Amino acid sequence: MTESKSRLRVLAMSGASLLALAVCSGAYAQQTSATADAKAKSTEVGEVVITGYRASLQTALTNKRNSTLPIESVAPEDIGKLPDQNVAESLQRLAGIQIDRTQGQGTTVLIDGLRQNLTTLNGDVFLTGKEIGVSGENSGGGSGAGNQYNSLESIPSEEISGIDVYKNPKASMTEGGLGGTIDLKLRDPLSGPDGLHFGGNIRGTTSDDTNGWTPIGALVASYKMNDRFGITGSISYDDEKTHTKEFQDQNRSSWVITDSATAANPGNGTNATPTALPGGQEYISPQLAYFTDQNDERKTLGGSLGVAFEVTNAWTTHLNWFYSRDDDTQISYSDKVWFNGQGDPSGSLNMPGIDAADPYSINGNGVVQNATFNANGAETATDYFHTISEANNFQWINRFDAGGPLKGDFDVFYSRATSNFQADQADVEHGLYNTASGAATSPSAPGCNNGADTCNGGNPGYQFTWNNGGSSGLPSVGYPTNVLDNPAYTTFKSNWAWANYTTQTEWSVKGDLQYKADFIPVESVFSTGFRVADRDIDQVFGRYLINGDLPGGQVAGPVGPNEGPWLYFQDPGYSNGNGINIPYSTATSNPGLAKTVNNFGAGPIIVKNPASMSNPSTYLEQVWSGAGTPNNTEKFFKDGLSSFEVKENTYAGYVMGDIGGPTDRFHINFGVRLVDTNLVIDNGQSAQTPTYYGTASWNGVDSNVVGVQTTRNYIDVLPSFNFVLDLTDNQKIRVDAARVMSPQDLFSLGLGNSYGFTRSGSSSTFVFDGGSSGNPNLDPYRADQFDTSWEDYFAHGGLISVAGFYKAIESFVEQQNIATTIDGSTGNVSEPVNGGAGSIYGAELEFQYAFDGDWLWSGLKGFGVAANYTRSESYSQQPTSFSTNGPIPGVSQNAVSATGYYERGGFSARLSWTWRDKSVNDSPVGSTFAFNNQNGVSKVYTIYQAPYGQLDGQIGYDFTKQLGLIFSVQNITGAYQHTYLQWPDLPFTYDNWGRRYYVGLKFKF
């Protein structure tokens, strides 16, 4: 069935190509008069002299007009400066493109709602070191948590001379973009004037709720000796601090539907009596809700060097080097709101719940609008993450053209990127907590040991108030008593550290041959070529463990069969029955470890001072020494279940034809690309009788992981067709079609089994609470697509465009939950699988005009506008408990981008606004979330990304042609992003990073 469908697609593409040939023979009769018109048109464009942002738009418009493919472009507005602060943010102004954001910075680019796109540098392989990342509290339990793919924020925009986005490929292009291809372009040393030239900018930046200004700068230089030799180089540095106010309750999966109204522990030696709300009214309760202050500092260093040499009249060679280094440090302080902290199942009456004696409101969907909750436990946390990503990209590009009918290219590309992620975390207990020996660490702290639901004894619990914030995405919490900032209640309970090391290499060799068939009346070029490429990713995930052997021969913490003395979680509540606990500290025994911060949601809270956490490789040793027991045995252990290596080798070849030249009124491009892909995936699985380095299965890593190798091979036939016709001198129509594919996420292919554990009530051990795994049998993303457009370049600097698109996607990658039992506890392991098919279709409207004073009113001279609107409809076979299908994740029904600007007399100003409608979420949080209903049956909810709009602005003044002042603001209105679970008043995540400001000088000589 699959082969017959593929043959039909190839035949359909071939038929379209033959139809286009018939059209071209009719159009050829008009080519003579068109030649003179085209020459006049190109001369007119060349005589206009413009600068700044207006020049940037005009260059991009000219690229679009002259291209034989459907393309959107970004051009620099000055030497060393794209129109926005990074590559992703510059792309968001283009029709059909939206972006994701992290800490306020643009990261992943979505083309027509799809993030499975190919990013290239000068048309081929490109690495940044940010292709795979992990973060978040739960990443300590497995390398798959919070992963992010193909993030672009670490690409220094000052190093890029332009960006082209291709929405439909031709056969000679590197395969890999489902939504499209993003091609970053380096500077050509031979394209500028002779002599030495340099320019750049130096700026300062700050953002809301951060201290002080940090530097940004770029220097670009070029020297062109003559038309045969040139050299260009650049260096850039960017230091940005961001304070993000984040809420999220998606981190823990044990949500419940319950009617519990059990009071907190009464503290009189008896358990609280389990009770229900009046009438058995049920409500949705998360396990924990986090209010987090993320303090991030990102330092990005970039550099490039390019040499171009015309070796002979027929041979020109280019050597390029592109370097980027991203150093990101994030320190987070969190309040964990204790709803169902111990993870009771749905329907349980044991969990402390709503206080029915106080006013409360629950809507018809079971969403709590406001209430007073009882609790027996309280926690805060400090997280320290440090990531260094570094990449080197080398290119050798050769062009051969002796002036005859035959031309050729031969290129070699090599990229290598590394990422070093180091992390540790400290959970701080503010409730009653007992050590393995039975002693309370902070005897006066409220509640039950480790926040257990009920206890026979302990201390009185406490209450907190909750308001879900309506549809704002940000709930609020209140603590009537000083539970979270009382040193007498504070124990530095759980401490752990982990790391990821990623190494990626890519290389490719490709050659192209073009033959101009002069014997055909219409200018015709036929091409063929090959590409051999290799991708290799080596991901090492591991944990820092410390030897728990004590001088007396005892081992701190529990030790069971097939287990060793090493410890991952440093927690005094663990026991092996000998009453010996892991050393610990409290805010009274070691006050230097305590730090009081003003949490944006909870107010003053005590957290662990991150000064002792800046080196995860020695953090566990500091935990022990801080508690008075020196221990210098900490070391790194590779987790064979989560680590992996994936090798991908591809062989590609193509044939292609181009009918119609620059002076013709039409151009037809048609061809087919054949791609043979080979995969070797090496990962691990648990042995039948696993053994462990740690003192328990949950407290270390397996020591006898069984290696598993999977090999794959598949062939893709990718026909493509692009047709453009000049209806008049100013109007064009385009018709494009192709079959496209995008390779699987290598992380999803390689990851073995990664399990998470959580503390169980007053027990001295952890229990399995779920995990994630990869799937080496995932297939690539594949789709058939069709695009058409009408473009009217009605004036110089003016465009009206209407485009339609359709994309039929064969299969999405979905997450399925598999019930898994580990050490007697059952939880869901999430595994990626190829799911149902889907489709996207819609329309794009684009308008651009630069007022020159000759049209409408002369007072508008210097003003300009560029705007676009995208309407998208999508469908996917991804059922939930509320629908049998839904939109494709990431696809917003409506998206708008508009920029108004003014440039005249040295003064410049612009405002840019982007807005996207709600969509099914496609960030690492996921598109669905499942938990059991009151009958123990799993219920699947949809996660929606709420609508988001952002307004940016910039003003500047050029004192001379060589020197100018610039001031810009990102997110002028202080917009924030948030997601919700099924209903707008059920908040899921919220991120508010505030405004960012830039001020500085630009120069060129």
Side-chain angles (χ1 to χ4, degrees), residues 218-256:
L219 178 64
V220 180
S222 64
Y223 176 70
K224 183 178 176 183
M225 178 183 295
N226 49 44
D227 288 341
R228 303 193 65 165
F229 181 80
I231 185 169
T232 182
S234 62
I235 187 170
S236 62
Y237 179 75
D238 187 341
D239 184 352
E240 298 190 12
K241 294 181 179 180
T242 307
H243 176 201
T244 301
K245 301 171 183 176
E246 180 183 83
F247 164 81
Q248 56 98 356
D249 48 14
Q250 55 83 26
N251 190 30
R252 299 295 183 92
S253 61
S254 295
W255 285 45
V256 295

Short mmCIF file of all heavy atoms in Angstrom, two decimals, residues 218-256:
data_model
loop_
_atom_site.label_atom_id
_atom_site.label_comp_id
_atom_site.label_asym_id
_atom_site.label_seq_id
_atom_site.Cartn_x
_atom_site.Cartn_y
_atom_site.Cartn_z
N ALA A 218 29.38 44.03 18.93
CA ALA A 218 29.75 43.28 17.73
C ALA A 218 30.71 44.12 16.90
O ALA A 218 30.57 45.35 16.83
CB ALA A 218 28.52 42.92 16.92
N LEU A 219 31.67 43.46 16.28
CA LEU A 219 32.61 44.12 15.38
C LEU A 219 32.73 43.26 14.12
O LEU A 219 32.99 42.06 14.21
CB LEU A 219 33.98 44.29 16.03
CG LEU A 219 35.07 44.93 15.16
CD1 LEU A 219 34.70 46.38 14.81
CD2 LEU A 219 36.42 44.89 15.87
N VAL A 220 32.50 43.89 12.97
CA VAL A 220 32.57 43.20 11.69
C VAL A 220 33.60 43.92 10.82
O VAL A 220 33.57 45.16 10.71
CB VAL A 220 31.21 43.19 10.98
CG1 VAL A 220 31.31 42.47 9.64
CG2 VAL A 220 30.16 42.53 11.85
N ALA A 221 34.50 43.19 10.20
CA ALA A 221 35.53 43.79 9.34
C ALA A 221 35.66 42.99 8.06
O ALA A 221 35.45 41.77 8.04
CB ALA A 221 36.87 43.85 10.06
N SER A 222 35.98 43.70 6.98
CA SER A 222 36.21 43.02 5.71
C SER A 222 37.30 43.73 4.93
O SER A 222 37.48 44.96 5.06
CB SER A 222 34.92 43.00 4.87
OG SER A 222 34.53 44.31 4.51
N TYR A 223 38.03 42.95 4.17
CA TYR A 223 39.07 43.51 3.30
C TYR A 223 38.99 42.80 1.96
O TYR A 223 39.13 41.58 1.86
CB TYR A 223 40.46 43.33 3.90
CG TYR A 223 41.56 43.81 2.98
CD1 TYR A 223 41.72 45.17 2.73
CD2 TYR A 223 42.40 42.91 2.35
CE1 TYR A 223 42.72 45.62 1.87
CE2 TYR A 223 43.40 43.34 1.50
CZ TYR A 223 43.56 44.70 1.25
OH TYR A 223 44.53 45.14 0.39
N LYS A 224 38.72 43.60 0.94
CA LYS A 224 38.67 43.07 -0.41
C LYS A 224 39.84 43.66 -1.20
O LYS A 224 39.88 44.87 -1.48
CB LYS A 224 37.35 43.44 -1.07
CG LYS A 224 37.16 42.88 -2.47
CD LYS A 224 35.80 43.26 -3.03
CE LYS A 224 35.64 42.78 -4.46
NZ LYS A 224 34.34 43.21 -5.03
N MET A 225 40.80 42.80 -1.51
CA MET A 225 41.99 43.26 -2.22
C MET A 225 41.65 43.66 -3.65
O MET A 225 42.07 44.71 -4.15
CB MET A 225 43.05 42.16 -2.21
CG MET A 225 44.32 42.52 -2.96
SD MET A 225 45.51 41.13 -2.98
CE MET A 225 45.90 41.00 -1.23
N ASN A 226 40.86 42.81 -4.30
CA ASN A 226 40.42 43.05 -5.68
C ASN A 226 39.25 42.11 -5.93
O ASN A 226 38.71 41.51 -4.99
CB ASN A 226 41.56 42.83 -6.68
CG ASN A 226 42.28 41.52 -6.44
OD1 ASN A 226 41.65 40.48 -6.21
ND2 ASN A 226 43.62 41.54 -6.46
N ASP A 227 38.86 41.97 -7.17
CA ASP A 227 37.71 41.11 -7.48
C ASP A 227 38.02 39.63 -7.33
O ASP A 227 37.12 38.80 -7.49
CB ASP A 227 37.24 41.37 -8.92
CG ASP A 227 36.56 42.72 -9.06
OD1 ASP A 227 36.14 43.27 -8.02
OD2 ASP A 227 36.46 43.22 -10.20
N ARG A 228 39.27 39.31 -6.98
CA ARG A 228 39.65 37.90 -6.89
C ARG A 228 39.94 37.44 -5.48
O ARG A 228 39.98 36.23 -5.22
CB ARG A 228 40.87 37.63 -7.78
CG ARG A 228 40.66 38.01 -9.22
CD ARG A 228 41.74 37.46 -10.12
NE ARG A 228 41.70 36.01 -10.17
CZ ARG A 228 42.35 35.29 -11.09
NH1 ARG A 228 43.06 35.91 -12.02
NH2 ARG A 228 42.29 33.98 -11.08
N PHE A 229 40.15 38.35 -4.55
CA PHE A 229 40.48 37.92 -3.19
C PHE A 229 39.84 38.86 -2.16
O PHE A 229 39.91 40.09 -2.29
CB PHE A 229 41.99 37.91 -2.96
CG PHE A 229 42.37 37.44 -1.57
CD1 PHE A 229 42.39 36.10 -1.26
CD2 PHE A 229 42.65 38.37 -0.57
CE1 PHE A 229 42.72 35.68 0.03
CE2 PHE A 229 42.98 37.95 0.71
CZ PHE A 229 43.02 36.59 1.01
N GLY A 230 39.24 38.24 -1.15
CA GLY A 230 38.65 39.01 -0.06
C GLY A 230 38.60 38.19 1.21
O GLY A 230 38.63 36.96 1.18
N ILE A 231 38.54 38.90 2.33
CA ILE A 231 38.47 38.24 3.63
C ILE A 231 37.53 39.03 4.53
O ILE A 231 37.47 40.26 4.45
CB ILE A 231 39.88 38.12 4.27
CG1 ILE A 231 39.80 37.32 5.58
CG2 ILE A 231 40.51 39.48 4.47
CD1 ILE A 231 41.18 36.95 6.12
N THR A 232 36.76 38.34 5.34
CA THR A 232 35.85 38.99 6.27
C THR A 232 35.88 38.25 7.60
O THR A 232 36.10 37.04 7.64
CB THR A 232 34.41 39.03 5.72
OG1 THR A 232 33.56 39.73 6.64
CG2 THR A 232 33.85 37.64 5.52
N GLY A 233 35.68 38.98 8.67
CA GLY A 233 35.67 38.38 10.00
C GLY A 233 34.78 39.17 10.93
O GLY A 233 34.48 40.35 10.69
N SER A 234 34.36 38.53 12.00
CA SER A 234 33.50 39.21 12.97
C SER A 234 33.63 38.55 14.33
O SER A 234 34.02 37.39 14.44
CB SER A 234 32.04 39.18 12.51
OG SER A 234 31.57 37.84 12.43
N ILE A 235 33.30 39.33 15.34
CA ILE A 235 33.25 38.82 16.71
C ILE A 235 32.11 39.53 17.43
O ILE A 235 31.83 40.70 17.18
CB ILE A 235 34.59 39.04 17.44
CG1 ILE A 235 34.56 38.33 18.81
CG2 ILE A 235 34.92 40.52 17.57
CD1 ILE A 235 35.92 38.29 19.49
N SER A 236 31.40 38.79 18.27
CA SER A 236 30.27 39.37 19.00
C SER A 236 30.21 38.80 20.41
O SER A 236 30.66 37.68 20.66
CB SER A 236 28.96 39.08 18.26
OG SER A 236 28.71 37.69 18.18
N TYR A 237 29.62 39.60 21.30
CA TYR A 237 29.46 39.18 22.69
C TYR A 237 28.12 39.71 23.19
O TYR A 237 27.75 40.87 22.93
CB TYR A 237 30.59 39.71 23.57
CG TYR A 237 30.46 39.31 25.03
CD1 TYR A 237 30.75 38.02 25.43
CD2 TYR A 237 30.03 40.23 25.98
CE1 TYR A 237 30.63 37.64 26.76
CE2 TYR A 237 29.90 39.86 27.31
CZ TYR A 237 30.20 38.57 27.70
OH TYR A 237 30.07 38.20 29.02
N ASP A 238 27.40 38.86 23.91
CA ASP A 238 26.07 39.22 24.40
C ASP A 238 25.91 38.66 25.80
O ASP A 238 26.00 37.45 26.01
CB ASP A 238 25.01 38.64 23.46
CG ASP A 238 23.60 39.11 23.80
OD1 ASP A 238 23.37 39.58 24.92
OD2 ASP A 238 22.73 39.00 22.92
N ASP A 239 25.67 39.54 26.77
CA ASP A 239 25.47 39.14 28.17
C ASP A 239 24.10 39.66 28.59
O ASP A 239 23.89 40.87 28.67
CB ASP A 239 26.58 39.73 29.04
CG ASP A 239 26.49 39.27 30.50
OD1 ASP A 239 25.49 38.63 30.86
OD2 ASP A 239 27.42 39.57 31.27
N GLU A 240 23.16 38.75 28.85
CA GLU A 240 21.81 39.15 29.20
C GLU A 240 21.34 38.43 30.46
O GLU A 240 21.49 37.22 30.58
CB GLU A 240 20.84 38.85 28.04
CG GLU A 240 21.16 39.62 26.77
CD GLU A 240 20.07 39.51 25.72
OE1 GLU A 240 18.97 39.04 26.06
OE2 GLU A 240 20.30 39.90 24.57
N LYS A 241 20.75 39.22 31.36
CA LYS A 241 20.15 38.68 32.58
C LYS A 241 18.63 38.79 32.49
O LYS A 241 18.11 39.79 32.01
CB LYS A 241 20.65 39.44 33.81
CG LYS A 241 22.13 39.27 34.10
CD LYS A 241 22.53 40.05 35.35
CE LYS A 241 24.01 39.88 35.67
NZ LYS A 241 24.41 40.64 36.88
N THR A 242 17.95 37.76 32.97
CA THR A 242 16.49 37.73 32.92
C THR A 242 15.95 37.17 34.22
O THR A 242 16.49 36.20 34.76
CB THR A 242 16.00 36.85 31.75
OG1 THR A 242 16.62 37.27 30.54
CG2 THR A 242 14.49 36.97 31.60
N HIS A 243 14.89 37.81 34.72
CA HIS A 243 14.16 37.27 35.87
C HIS A 243 12.78 36.87 35.38
O HIS A 243 11.98 37.72 34.98
CB HIS A 243 14.05 38.33 36.97
CG HIS A 243 13.22 37.88 38.14
ND1 HIS A 243 12.64 38.77 39.01
CD2 HIS A 243 12.86 36.65 38.58
CE1 HIS A 243 11.96 38.12 39.94
NE2 HIS A 243 12.09 36.82 39.69
N THR A 244 12.51 35.55 35.39
CA THR A 244 11.23 35.03 34.94
C THR A 244 10.41 34.59 36.15
O THR A 244 10.89 33.83 37.00
CB THR A 244 11.42 33.84 34.00
OG1 THR A 244 12.20 34.25 32.88
CG2 THR A 244 10.09 33.31 33.51
N LYS A 245 9.18 35.08 36.19
CA LYS A 245 8.23 34.65 37.22
C LYS A 245 7.41 33.52 36.63
O LYS A 245 6.67 33.71 35.67
CB LYS A 245 7.34 35.81 37.63
CG LYS A 245 8.12 37.01 38.18
CD LYS A 245 7.23 38.23 38.36
CE LYS A 245 8.04 39.43 38.83
NZ LYS A 245 7.22 40.66 38.94
N GLU A 246 7.56 32.34 37.21
CA GLU A 246 6.97 31.15 36.62
C GLU A 246 6.05 30.45 37.60
O GLU A 246 6.38 30.25 38.77
CB GLU A 246 8.06 30.18 36.17
CG GLU A 246 7.52 28.90 35.52
CD GLU A 246 8.60 27.92 35.15
OE1 GLU A 246 9.03 27.16 36.04
OE2 GLU A 246 9.04 27.94 33.99
N PHE A 247 4.88 30.08 37.09
CA PHE A 247 3.99 29.16 37.82
C PHE A 247 3.84 27.91 36.99
O PHE A 247 3.75 27.96 35.76
CB PHE A 247 2.61 29.79 38.05
CG PHE A 247 1.57 28.77 38.45
CD1 PHE A 247 1.49 28.36 39.77
CD2 PHE A 247 0.72 28.20 37.51
CE1 PHE A 247 0.56 27.39 40.14
CE2 PHE A 247 -0.20 27.24 37.87
CZ PHE A 247 -0.28 26.83 39.19
N GLN A 248 3.80 26.76 37.63
CA GLN A 248 3.49 25.52 36.93
C GLN A 248 3.07 24.46 37.91
O GLN A 248 3.60 24.38 39.02
CB GLN A 248 4.68 25.05 36.09
CG GLN A 248 5.97 24.85 36.84
CD GLN A 248 6.23 23.41 37.23
OE1 GLN A 248 5.39 22.55 36.99
NE2 GLN A 248 7.37 23.14 37.82
N ASP A 249 2.08 23.67 37.51
CA ASP A 249 1.68 22.52 38.32
C ASP A 249 1.68 21.25 37.48
O ASP A 249 1.07 20.25 37.85
CB ASP A 249 0.31 22.74 38.98
CG ASP A 249 -0.76 23.24 38.02
OD1 ASP A 249 -0.54 23.17 36.80
OD2 ASP A 249 -1.81 23.70 38.49
N GLN A 250 2.39 21.28 36.35
CA GLN A 250 2.49 20.11 35.48
C GLN A 250 3.63 19.19 35.86
O GLN A 250 3.76 18.10 35.31
CB GLN A 250 2.67 20.57 34.04
CG GLN A 250 3.84 21.51 33.79
CD GLN A 250 5.18 20.83 33.60
OE1 GLN A 250 5.22 19.68 33.18
NE2 GLN A 250 6.25 21.53 33.91
N ASN A 251 4.48 19.62 36.80
CA ASN A 251 5.71 18.90 37.10
C ASN A 251 5.46 17.54 37.75
O ASN A 251 6.24 16.62 37.59
CB ASN A 251 6.58 19.77 38.01
CG ASN A 251 7.96 19.20 38.19
OD1 ASN A 251 8.49 18.55 37.31
ND2 ASN A 251 8.55 19.44 39.35
N ARG A 252 4.39 17.42 38.49
CA ARG A 252 4.06 16.15 39.15
C ARG A 252 2.75 15.60 38.58
O ARG A 252 1.79 16.35 38.37
CB ARG A 252 3.93 16.35 40.67
CG ARG A 252 5.20 16.84 41.35
CD ARG A 252 6.32 15.82 41.26
NE ARG A 252 7.51 16.25 41.95
CZ ARG A 252 7.77 15.98 43.23
NH1 ARG A 252 6.92 15.25 43.94
NH2 ARG A 252 8.88 16.42 43.79
N SER A 253 2.72 14.30 38.34
CA SER A 253 1.61 13.69 37.60
C SER A 253 0.45 13.23 38.48
O SER A 253 -0.61 12.88 37.95
CB SER A 253 2.12 12.51 36.80
OG SER A 253 2.67 11.51 37.66
N SER A 254 0.61 13.19 39.81
CA SER A 254 -0.43 12.61 40.67
C SER A 254 -1.51 13.63 40.99
O SER A 254 -1.76 13.97 42.15
CB SER A 254 0.20 12.06 41.96
OG SER A 254 1.05 10.98 41.69
N TRP A 255 -2.17 14.11 39.93
CA TRP A 255 -3.37 14.92 40.11
C TRP A 255 -4.51 13.98 40.52
O TRP A 255 -4.48 12.79 40.25
CB TRP A 255 -3.72 15.62 38.81
CG TRP A 255 -2.85 16.79 38.47
CD1 TRP A 255 -1.49 16.86 38.53
CD2 TRP A 255 -3.29 18.06 37.98
NE1 TRP A 255 -1.05 18.09 38.11
CE2 TRP A 255 -2.14 18.85 37.76
CE3 TRP A 255 -4.54 18.60 37.69
CZ2 TRP A 255 -2.21 20.15 37.27
CZ3 TRP A 255 -4.61 19.90 37.20
CH2 TRP A 255 -3.46 20.66 37.01
N VAL A 256 -5.50 14.55 41.17
CA VAL A 256 -6.62 13.73 41.62
C VAL A 256 -7.94 14.45 41.37
O VAL A 256 -7.99 15.68 41.24
CB VAL A 256 -6.52 13.39 43.12
CG1 VAL A 256 -5.32 12.52 43.41
CG2 VAL A 256 -6.49 14.66 43.97
#
